[in-house]
Amino acid sequence: MEKVFTKPEAMKPEQTLYCPGCGHGTAHRMVAELVDEFGLRERAIGIAPVGCSVFADRYWNFDVISAAHGRAPAVATGMKRGNPDSFVICYQGDGDLAAIGTAETIHAANRGEHFVTIFVNNAIYGMTGGQMAPTTLCGQRSQTCQLGRDPDIMGHPIRVCELVRDLPGVAYLARGAVDSPKNVIQTKKHMKKAFQTAIDGKGWSLVEVVSPCPTNWGMAPQKALQWLRENLLEHYELGVFRDCEAE
Amino acid sequence: MGEKVFMRGNDAIGEAAVQAGCQCYFGYPITPQNELTAYMSKRMIEEGRVFIQSESEIAAVNMCFGAAAVGQRTMTSSSGPGISLKQEGISYMAGAELPMFFVNVMRGGPGLGNIAPAQSDYFQCTRGGGHGDYRVICYAPSNVQELYDYTMLGFDVADRYRNPSMIAADGILGQMMEPLVLNEYKDPGDLPTKQPWRLGDPSTPEPIWITSVHLGEGKLEEHNLELQKKYDAIERDEVRYEETMLDDAEIVMVAYGTAARVAKTALAVAREEGIKVGLFRPITIWPYPYQQVRDLADRVENLLVVEMSLGQMWEDVRLAVEGNARVHLHGRTAGGVPVVTEVVEHLKKVMASKGDEIIRNF
Ligand SMILES: Cc1ncc(C[n+]2csc(CCOP(=O)(O)OP(=O)(O)O)c2C)c(N)n1
Ligand code: SF4
């Protein structure tokens, strides 16, 4: 019988520890499928962030390093410059990338570093128990904005793609989501482009993945997907923000 | 013998790093070590190697983390406030057992302090500095030749122990020009290969994991105890020091770096005046020569620590002698450099003192 669905070779036979309905597992899998598709397994290096995906090394079947909170772009820079033959995948959450690591992100982008960033935006800090992220929506509740995010006090939710798109070092920039099969397929297409951009050495690339965190949003998985569509996608518009090929 | 040149301390460190095969330098400007970053920006690019002026010290040290993980000799440099920021990465590298060589050309603190020479980062250099149970091998050279030589050695010990190593200099050493013999780098040959653990290497197809995270029960303790074995070995094998005129000494000065140069001159002056004084100079301030300083207490009743900080190394000397000698302190701070005549005065006061009195001069 023909096998039509199987685990990618770049994925270990482990069960992930993510909560039911979490988007990280899907994002991991998409990365692993692409590592296989491009034949990168032996020279790929993933960076596990500080956040719920800190144990990405348990799931990915290629080299993984764990960076300090927010520093993945600097670590990726050192690895890629130190070994230009490696293929570096910087995997970060919104707390990691858009709060503590903003400077590292902007400057790696501006230098046009040749690595791929997969940015999982779940609009909250997952691992530490649901505190406000830079991406938390106005009015959204979290542990540290229990009355809802008030932009006058807490600032506005940051749109990362829009923020970095004018930097000349940025080669490919897109936002996808993992709320539906259609969006998962589209997100993987974005990722594929980002991988190709990095392989071709064209510059810095990032794919944002709008993703649910049912646990810290306090919702059942299905409800979380609905909330994501109705709220997050309003503020975080899907699409391609920069594509140096098309320009 | 190599070529003799006249070189500034900061540049000598840079040239030694190039000779030692440093492949990646990442830095961020801060006085009084700017010449080193500038030197590397030219030489590394001339050699076709990696130079990045990073967006911050935090980024620089994390770039080192990445470059070390793919097996390259890697380096960064800074001064106090910048080293404080780098402590994040240093702790992570010690935890993940990655080699790195870095330089602290110390200036006055705390805070932004000033840009004058100081030794007041002694605690930061010798106590780990960042969070967690870890150690960093730290050399304290006292002239330009030693800056050069210990830079080369610094890369080797970092690789040998898979641990960060550093030079603690001060603004005077960084800025001063002295004759220097350019020694060729000699690979000691017993350095372990990085092939089994470096990332992104297709010749090792099994996935490799580099991390400092150990969340499982007992896992971190297990790891830290392994690290401790390594630190014990370093304490046993890597201690370095210099002794001057200890044989007939009745009092011994303990000083390192620039303060040791002043102490050496004070020694000559005091000897002329008939004071039988010796000098003990730690070259490694971690591992600290505790045993050697302890042995001094069997020979003399009084030790005088001369340092450009307010008793930071004094603590180590007191720890070492375990109450078996009186340990006096001549400390300057915030850019103050000990003055030969004042050190000699201090020696005289100690020689004339009776009983348990400890004389501290600031
Ligand atoms: C320097 C530092 N500060 C704070 C923390 C605590 N911390 C761990 S995970 C995390 C938030 C991660 O959130 P995010 O990046 O959004 O990832 P998620 O868990 O949502 O996937 C924080 C603040 C840390 N580990 N290091
Ligand atoms: S807390 Fe949120 S981000 Fe973390 S595993 Fe659970 S659902 Fe995923």
Side-chain angles (χ1 to χ4, degrees), chain B residues 191-270:
Chain B
L191 293 177
T193 168
K194 297 176 181 180
Q195 202 149 12
W197 56 266
R198 73 172 176 223
L199 301 181
D201 180 351
S203 72
T204 51
E206 281 308 303
I208 295 169
W209 172 31
I210 289 185
T211 190
S212 62
V213 190
H214 303 272
L215 289 183
E217 195 181 333
K219 291 278 184 244
L220 180 60
E221 183 161 33
E222 205 180 294
H223 173 69
N224 284 2
L225 291 173
E226 278 307 309
L227 288 182
Q228 188 56 40
K229 281 188 201 155
K230 177 164 87 176
Y231 302 143
D232 288 346
I234 295 170
E235 290 206 275
R236 188 185 61 229
D237 298 335
E238 301 300 335
V239 167
R240 284 171 186 258
Y241 53 91
E242 182 196 70
E243 298 176 329
T244 311
M245 302 188 95
L246 291 186
D247 286 347
D248 63 342
E250 289 168 1
I251 178 169
V252 176
M253 289 185 284
V254 184
Y256 70 98
T258 291
R261 292 172 73 115
V262 176
K264 216 172 224 177
T265 311
L267 178 143
V269 173

XYZ file of all heavy atoms in Angstrom, chain B residues 191-270:
633
model
N 45.228 19.770 22.006
C 43.880 20.343 22.090
C 42.874 19.331 21.554
O 43.103 18.717 20.520
C 43.808 21.628 21.275
C 44.631 22.789 21.807
C 44.534 23.977 20.873
C 44.156 23.176 23.199
N 41.759 19.166 22.247
C 40.757 18.214 21.763
C 40.123 18.710 20.467
O 39.955 19.910 20.281
C 39.730 18.172 22.896
C 39.936 19.436 23.654
C 41.352 19.859 23.464
N 39.789 17.810 19.581
C 39.126 18.220 18.342
C 37.677 18.622 18.628
O 37.033 18.077 19.515
C 39.182 17.106 17.283
O 38.286 17.471 16.227
C 38.789 15.756 17.843
N 37.211 19.579 17.861
C 35.837 20.040 18.069
C 34.843 19.252 17.231
O 33.645 19.463 17.318
C 35.748 21.525 17.722
C 36.634 22.366 18.639
C 36.622 23.814 18.248
C 37.535 24.595 19.188
N 37.586 26.009 18.887
N 35.371 18.366 16.417
C 34.501 17.656 15.489
C 33.357 16.885 16.141
O 32.241 16.905 15.628
C 35.324 16.719 14.633
C 34.605 16.378 13.348
C 35.576 16.132 12.231
O 36.786 16.005 12.474
N 35.080 16.060 11.026
N 33.581 16.212 17.256
C 32.472 15.424 17.803
C 31.278 16.254 18.249
O 30.189 15.735 18.361
C 33.098 14.725 19.015
C 34.557 14.857 18.862
C 34.807 16.071 18.034
N 31.489 17.531 18.544
C 30.359 18.278 19.107
C 29.960 19.516 18.319
O 28.961 20.152 18.617
C 30.641 18.674 20.566
C 31.895 19.465 20.790
C 33.117 18.965 21.130
C 32.068 20.884 20.700
N 34.029 19.980 21.256
C 33.420 21.173 20.996
C 31.207 21.953 20.397
C 33.941 22.473 20.999
C 31.728 23.241 20.405
C 33.075 23.482 20.695
N 30.728 19.906 17.325
C 30.357 21.163 16.669
C 29.115 20.977 15.798
O 28.887 19.914 15.213
C 31.527 21.741 15.895
C 31.855 21.026 14.640
C 32.893 21.775 13.822
N 33.219 20.959 12.679
C 34.428 20.751 12.225
N 35.459 21.315 12.801
N 34.629 19.980 11.176
N 28.329 22.026 15.712
C 27.037 21.960 15.026
C 27.180 22.206 13.521
O 28.106 22.875 13.086
C 26.080 23.007 15.600
C 25.764 22.927 17.099
C 24.776 24.015 17.483
C 25.199 21.562 17.461
N 26.220 21.673 12.769
C 26.126 21.965 11.330
C 27.181 21.274 10.506
O 27.431 21.651 9.369
N 27.820 20.234 11.052
C 28.898 19.543 10.363
C 28.347 18.257 9.741
O 27.987 17.333 10.458
C 29.993 19.235 11.399
C 31.182 18.511 10.795
O 31.089 18.099 9.618
O 32.194 18.369 11.492
N 28.272 18.180 8.404
C 27.659 17.003 7.766
C 28.406 15.704 8.054
O 27.842 14.625 7.887
C 27.721 17.325 6.268
C 27.959 18.793 6.179
C 28.700 19.180 7.417
N 29.666 15.787 8.524
C 30.379 14.538 8.814
C 29.921 13.916 10.136
O 30.328 12.816 10.487
C 31.893 14.778 8.828
O 32.257 15.505 9.973
N 29.095 14.625 10.873
C 28.492 14.042 12.083
C 26.973 14.091 11.939
O 26.324 14.991 12.473
C 28.908 14.829 13.356
O 28.644 16.223 13.130
C 30.367 14.666 13.687
N 26.414 13.137 11.197
C 24.986 13.227 10.844
C 24.022 13.065 12.019
O 22.887 13.523 11.952
C 24.786 12.124 9.805
C 25.948 11.211 9.942
C 27.059 11.967 10.589
N 24.463 12.425 13.102
C 23.547 12.306 14.253
C 23.298 13.687 14.850
O 24.232 14.482 14.985
C 24.173 11.397 15.321
C 24.067 9.911 15.025
C 22.644 9.482 14.710
O 21.757 9.705 15.547
O 22.417 8.946 13.601
N 22.061 13.986 15.215
C 21.780 15.327 15.755
C 22.576 15.619 17.027
O 22.716 14.760 17.891
C 20.293 15.297 16.060
C 19.762 14.041 15.544
C 20.872 13.162 15.108
N 23.115 16.816 17.093
C 23.872 17.254 18.270
C 23.084 18.387 18.913
O 22.453 19.187 18.226
C 25.284 17.725 17.857
C 26.072 16.539 17.300
C 26.026 18.338 19.043
C 27.359 16.928 16.629
N 23.182 18.431 20.223
C 22.385 19.382 20.967
C 23.320 20.158 21.882
O 24.056 19.573 22.676
C 21.367 18.562 21.754
C 20.537 19.259 22.752
C 20.105 20.547 22.711
C 19.997 18.678 23.950
N 19.323 20.810 23.811
C 19.248 19.692 24.588
C 20.076 17.421 24.542
C 18.581 19.465 25.789
C 19.409 17.204 25.726
C 18.667 18.227 26.339
N 23.337 21.475 21.763
C 24.144 22.288 22.670
C 23.207 23.162 23.493
O 22.404 23.915 22.933
C 25.169 23.146 21.896
C 26.258 22.233 21.318
C 25.793 24.213 22.809
C 27.391 22.950 20.626
N 23.314 23.043 24.793
C 22.341 23.742 25.642
C 22.887 23.990 27.033
O 23.863 23.371 27.450
C 21.039 22.907 25.756
O 20.033 23.690 26.377
C 21.259 21.645 26.585
N 22.246 24.889 27.723
C 22.528 25.023 29.153
C 21.256 24.769 29.958
O 21.194 25.079 31.133
C 23.092 26.419 29.452
O 22.138 27.404 29.116
N 20.240 24.215 29.299
C 18.971 23.923 29.990
C 18.981 22.486 30.497
O 19.223 21.562 29.719
C 17.757 24.061 29.026
C 16.450 23.996 29.801
C 17.841 25.327 28.216
N 18.714 22.292 31.761
C 18.652 20.939 32.344
C 17.496 20.913 33.325
O 17.685 21.107 34.527
C 19.962 20.593 33.070
C 21.161 20.695 32.180
N 21.608 19.665 31.407
C 21.992 21.731 31.925
C 22.670 20.036 30.708
N 22.919 21.294 31.002
N 16.294 20.704 32.809
C 15.122 20.850 33.671
C 14.741 19.587 34.447
O 14.130 19.679 35.492
C 13.924 21.335 32.850
C 13.977 22.790 32.360
C 12.703 23.153 31.626
C 14.208 23.767 33.501
N 15.115 18.410 33.932
C 14.710 17.168 34.602
C 15.247 17.101 36.020
O 16.289 17.684 36.329
N 14.546 16.378 36.866
C 14.936 16.349 38.272
C 16.369 15.830 38.456
O 16.736 14.776 37.934
C 13.966 15.474 39.070
C 14.126 15.734 40.561
C 13.205 14.861 41.391
O 12.145 14.462 40.889
O 13.580 14.598 42.545
N 17.183 16.598 39.139
C 18.559 16.182 39.414
C 19.525 16.397 38.250
O 20.733 16.247 38.405
N 18.979 16.729 37.081
C 19.826 16.833 35.876
C 20.839 17.971 35.987
O 21.995 17.821 35.616
C 18.954 17.067 34.629
C 18.127 15.873 34.261
C 18.971 14.873 33.466
C 18.149 13.693 32.996
N 18.545 12.427 33.552
N 20.375 19.112 36.449
C 21.276 20.258 36.526
C 22.354 20.013 37.581
O 23.523 20.354 37.382
C 20.495 21.550 36.814
C 21.351 22.807 36.909
C 22.110 23.080 35.618
C 20.497 24.029 37.261
N 21.953 19.410 38.679
C 22.945 19.137 39.724
C 24.039 18.206 39.178
O 25.235 18.446 39.366
C 22.291 18.527 40.961
C 23.304 18.309 42.077
C 22.697 18.136 43.462
O 21.589 17.568 43.557
O 23.349 18.554 44.438
N 23.583 17.196 38.453
C 24.522 16.256 37.838
C 25.493 17.006 36.913
O 26.708 16.825 36.972
C 23.685 15.273 37.013
C 24.263 13.921 36.752
C 23.241 13.122 35.922
O 22.139 12.811 36.462
O 23.518 12.866 34.747
N 24.920 17.861 36.090
C 25.730 18.634 35.140
C 26.700 19.558 35.878
O 27.884 19.625 35.548
C 24.780 19.437 34.240
C 25.464 20.407 33.336
N 26.244 20.011 32.270
C 25.484 21.761 33.326
C 26.723 21.077 31.645
N 26.280 22.152 32.261
N 26.195 20.250 36.878
C 27.051 21.197 37.598
C 28.181 20.488 38.341
O 29.281 21.029 38.468
C 26.223 22.030 38.576
C 25.411 23.108 37.857
O 25.446 23.187 36.630
N 24.689 23.909 38.608
N 27.910 19.272 38.811
C 28.974 18.530 39.493
C 30.048 18.100 38.495
O 31.240 18.072 38.817
C 28.401 17.337 40.253
C 27.549 17.736 41.477
C 26.872 16.509 42.098
C 28.380 18.465 42.535
N 29.627 17.809 37.261
C 30.604 17.518 36.205
C 31.452 18.756 35.926
O 32.665 18.684 35.788
C 29.900 17.073 34.907
C 29.495 15.611 34.888
C 30.651 14.663 35.202
O 31.716 14.789 34.568
O 30.498 13.806 36.097
N 30.764 19.910 35.826
C 31.493 21.162 35.602
C 32.490 21.388 36.729
O 33.629 21.792 36.512
C 30.536 22.353 35.552
C 29.632 22.522 34.323
C 28.807 23.797 34.461
C 30.451 22.576 33.046
N 32.063 21.088 37.945
C 32.922 21.321 39.098
C 34.214 20.496 39.020
O 35.286 20.973 39.368
C 32.154 21.021 40.404
C 32.904 21.423 41.659
C 33.318 22.893 41.676
O 32.563 23.767 41.262
N 34.534 23.178 42.131
N 34.089 19.285 38.484
C 35.296 18.446 38.318
C 36.285 19.149 37.404
O 37.501 19.108 37.620
C 34.914 17.090 37.701
C 34.323 16.129 38.689
C 34.154 14.755 38.035
C 33.127 13.946 38.794
N 32.477 12.923 37.962
N 35.735 19.764 36.364
C 36.579 20.499 35.421
C 37.244 21.686 36.133
O 38.441 21.929 35.976
C 35.687 20.970 34.277
C 36.360 21.802 33.248
C 35.498 21.872 31.990
C 34.479 22.979 32.048
N 33.722 23.100 30.787
N 36.469 22.405 36.932
C 37.029 23.555 37.648
C 38.109 23.100 38.645
O 39.109 23.785 38.836
C 35.924 24.355 38.360
C 34.847 24.857 37.425
C 33.509 24.901 37.824
C 35.157 25.281 36.139
C 32.519 25.353 36.965
C 34.165 25.735 35.277
C 32.842 25.757 35.690
O 31.875 26.199 34.837
N 37.883 21.945 39.250
C 38.898 21.407 40.167
C 40.199 21.133 39.403
O 41.292 21.420 39.893
C 38.405 20.109 40.832
C 37.318 20.382 41.875
O 37.152 21.557 42.261
O 36.630 19.426 42.287
N 40.069 20.564 38.211
C 41.263 20.268 37.400
C 41.970 21.566 37.019
O 43.204 21.643 37.042
C 40.868 19.488 36.152
N 41.205 22.584 36.695
C 41.805 23.878 36.334
C 42.547 24.446 37.540
O 43.668 24.944 37.424
C 40.719 24.859 35.821
C 40.121 24.347 34.511
C 41.302 26.259 35.650
C 38.881 25.106 34.043
N 41.941 24.328 38.714
C 42.597 24.848 39.923
C 43.892 24.093 40.206
O 44.852 24.654 40.719
C 41.651 24.742 41.131
C 40.499 25.728 41.029
C 39.939 26.115 42.385
O 39.070 25.371 42.899
O 40.369 27.146 42.922
N 43.905 22.829 39.847
C 45.105 22.018 40.086
C 46.201 22.343 39.070
O 47.360 22.465 39.430
C 44.721 20.534 39.998
C 45.813 19.562 40.421
C 45.382 18.124 40.185
N 45.119 17.899 38.768
C 44.014 17.315 38.302
N 43.073 16.908 39.117
N 43.857 17.148 37.005
N 45.818 22.543 37.802
C 46.829 22.573 36.733
C 47.124 23.939 36.130
O 48.108 24.074 35.400
C 46.383 21.646 35.589
C 46.270 20.199 36.043
O 46.960 19.839 37.020
O 45.489 19.440 35.433
N 46.302 24.916 36.355
C 46.464 26.150 35.579
C 46.891 27.366 36.395
O 46.931 28.477 35.871
C 45.162 26.460 34.821
C 44.715 25.372 33.847
C 45.726 25.077 32.745
O 46.541 25.976 32.417
O 45.716 23.942 32.231
N 47.214 27.171 37.667
C 47.626 28.313 38.494
C 48.962 28.869 38.000
O 49.897 28.109 37.743
C 47.747 27.877 39.973
C 48.478 28.929 40.792
C 46.365 27.600 40.553
N 49.057 30.192 37.872
C 50.317 30.830 37.453
C 50.592 32.038 38.326
O 49.664 32.751 38.710
C 50.210 31.308 35.997
C 50.320 30.173 35.020
C 49.999 30.650 33.627
N 49.986 29.496 32.757
C 50.984 29.171 31.940
N 52.061 29.927 31.853
N 50.895 28.089 31.185
N 51.879 32.247 38.589
C 52.253 33.370 39.447
C 53.721 33.672 39.226
O 54.454 32.881 38.614
C 52.005 33.029 40.920
C 52.662 31.746 41.345
C 53.947 31.739 41.879
C 52.013 30.516 41.159
C 54.571 30.550 42.228
C 52.642 29.326 41.497
C 53.904 29.344 42.033
O 54.521 28.164 42.355
N 54.169 34.817 39.757
C 55.586 35.182 39.679
C 56.032 35.599 41.070
O 55.292 36.296 41.777
C 55.744 36.346 38.692
C 57.174 36.781 38.480
C 57.243 38.144 37.813
O 56.892 39.152 38.469
O 57.628 38.210 36.645
N 57.259 35.201 41.448
C 57.777 35.556 42.770
C 59.028 36.412 42.607
O 59.874 36.106 41.772
C 58.144 34.293 43.552
C 56.945 33.385 43.810
C 57.320 32.079 44.501
O 58.446 31.574 44.292
O 56.483 31.569 45.254
N 59.133 37.458 43.391
C 60.317 38.316 43.340
C 60.887 38.473 44.751
O 60.175 38.944 45.656
C 59.950 39.712 42.781
O 59.202 39.529 41.578
C 61.191 40.539 42.482
N 62.143 38.097 44.935
C 62.902 38.307 46.174
C 62.165 37.829 47.424
O 62.068 38.538 48.424
C 63.291 39.790 46.322
C 64.112 40.265 45.134
S 64.785 41.905 45.361
C 66.412 41.539 45.974
N 61.683 36.608 47.357
C 60.962 36.078 48.523
C 61.910 35.429 49.541
O 61.568 35.305 50.714
C 59.905 35.056 48.092
C 58.693 35.596 47.333
C 57.671 34.480 47.121
C 58.042 36.750 48.078
N 63.109 35.015 49.073
C 63.980 34.178 49.909
C 64.240 34.750 51.305
O 64.112 34.046 52.299
C 65.308 33.928 49.193
C 65.111 32.927 48.060
O 64.026 32.292 48.048
O 65.998 32.799 47.201
N 64.613 36.030 51.337
C 64.949 36.605 52.649
C 63.876 37.598 53.116
O 64.111 38.398 54.023
C 66.304 37.318 52.559
C 66.250 38.486 51.573
O 65.307 38.499 50.736
O 67.121 39.372 51.646
N 62.707 37.544 52.477
C 61.706 38.582 52.751
C 61.160 38.504 54.175
O 60.933 37.418 54.719
C 60.561 38.470 51.745
N 60.951 39.687 54.754
C 60.301 39.768 56.062
C 58.871 40.269 55.923
O 58.072 40.198 56.847
C 61.113 40.700 56.977
C 62.432 40.055 57.382
C 63.387 41.034 58.040
O 63.025 42.212 58.206
O 64.509 40.602 58.370
N 58.588 40.828 54.771
C 57.215 41.239 54.438
C 57.038 41.007 52.946
O 57.999 41.139 52.172
C 56.952 42.721 54.822
C 55.528 43.135 54.410
C 57.975 43.666 54.184
C 55.081 44.478 54.984
N 55.822 40.610 52.539
C 55.592 40.314 51.117
C 54.410 41.128 50.610
O 53.359 41.175 51.245
C 55.324 38.806 50.906
C 54.984 38.528 49.446
C 56.525 37.971 51.334
N 54.649 41.776 49.466
C 53.527 42.448 48.809
C 52.847 41.452 47.867
O 53.519 40.625 47.250
C 54.030 43.640 47.988
C 54.500 44.793 48.854
S 54.956 46.220 47.852
C 56.536 45.698 47.211
N 51.540 41.557 47.753
C 50.801 40.750 46.782
C 50.085 41.729 45.859
O 49.319 42.587 46.328
C 49.776 39.815 47.466
C 49.099 38.923 46.433
C 50.447 38.975 48.546
N 50.376 41.643 44.575
C 49.786 42.583 43.613
C 49.783 41.957 42.235
O 50.600 41.077 41.949
C 50.588 43.884 43.598
N 48.872 42.418 41.384
C 48.813 41.896 40.005
C 48.682 43.066 39.031
O 48.361 44.193 39.429
C 47.646 40.909 39.844
C 46.275 41.540 39.899
C 45.582 41.859 38.724
C 45.659 41.831 41.108
C 44.315 42.436 38.778
C 44.407 42.411 41.167
C 43.733 42.717 39.994
O 42.487 43.296 40.050
N 48.950 42.786 37.777
C 48.741 43.778 36.715
C 49.542 45.047 36.944
O 50.685 45.012 37.413
N 48.943 46.174 36.626
C 49.634 47.458 36.765
C 50.063 47.700 38.215
O 51.154 48.219 38.472
C 48.706 48.600 36.283
O 48.564 48.468 34.866
C 49.279 49.966 36.596
N 49.228 47.324 39.163
C 49.588 47.524 40.579
C 50.863 46.759 40.914
O 51.670 47.212 41.742
C 48.436 47.066 41.474
N 51.091 45.616 40.265
C 52.307 44.842 40.524
C 53.538 45.547 39.971
O 54.636 45.420 40.517
C 52.182 43.445 39.918
N 53.356 46.284 38.879
C 54.494 47.055 38.339
C 54.914 48.129 39.342
O 56.100 48.342 39.586
C 54.104 47.708 37.016
C 53.873 46.708 35.908
C 53.310 47.408 34.693
N 54.302 48.216 34.014
C 54.746 47.978 32.780
N 54.288 46.940 32.106
N 55.630 48.780 32.218
N 53.920 48.804 39.921
C 54.208 49.831 40.919
C 54.873 49.162 42.129
O 55.878 49.645 42.654
C 52.919 50.557 41.345
C 53.215 51.566 42.452
C 52.250 51.227 40.150
N 54.327 48.022 42.522
C 54.864 47.321 43.695
C 56.315 46.893 43.456
O 57.146 46.928 44.365
C 53.997 46.105 44.020
N 56.614 46.524 42.216
C 57.980 46.092 41.901
C 58.964 47.254 42.070
O 60.072 47.084 42.594
C 58.039 45.556 40.477
C 58.977 44.385 40.323
C 58.860 43.769 38.943
C 58.837 42.255 39.044
N 58.656 41.580 37.777
N 58.540 48.423 41.616
C 59.398 49.600 41.792
C 59.518 49.940 43.281
O 60.608 50.244 43.773
C 58.817 50.804 41.018
O 58.522 50.376 39.698
C 59.797 51.957 40.967
N 58.407 49.849 43.992
C 58.426 50.118 45.440
C 59.354 49.131 46.138
O 60.063 49.485 47.095
C 57.012 50.018 46.010
N 59.364 47.912 45.644
C 60.247 46.887 46.227
C 61.709 47.322 46.096
O 62.480 47.262 47.070
C 60.011 45.550 45.518
C 60.868 44.350 45.950
C 60.034 43.076 45.908
C 62.102 44.156 45.080
N 62.088 47.796 44.905
C 63.475 48.215 44.686
C 63.838 49.373 45.612
O 64.908 49.375 46.238
C 63.668 48.602 43.227
N 62.935 50.333 45.720
C 63.182 51.506 46.571
C 63.295 51.066 48.035
O 64.234 51.440 48.752
C 62.058 52.548 46.405
C 62.222 53.689 47.412
C 62.023 53.096 44.983
N 62.370 50.240 48.482
C 62.350 49.814 49.884
C 63.583 48.972 50.224
O 64.163 49.096 51.310
C 61.082 49.019 50.169
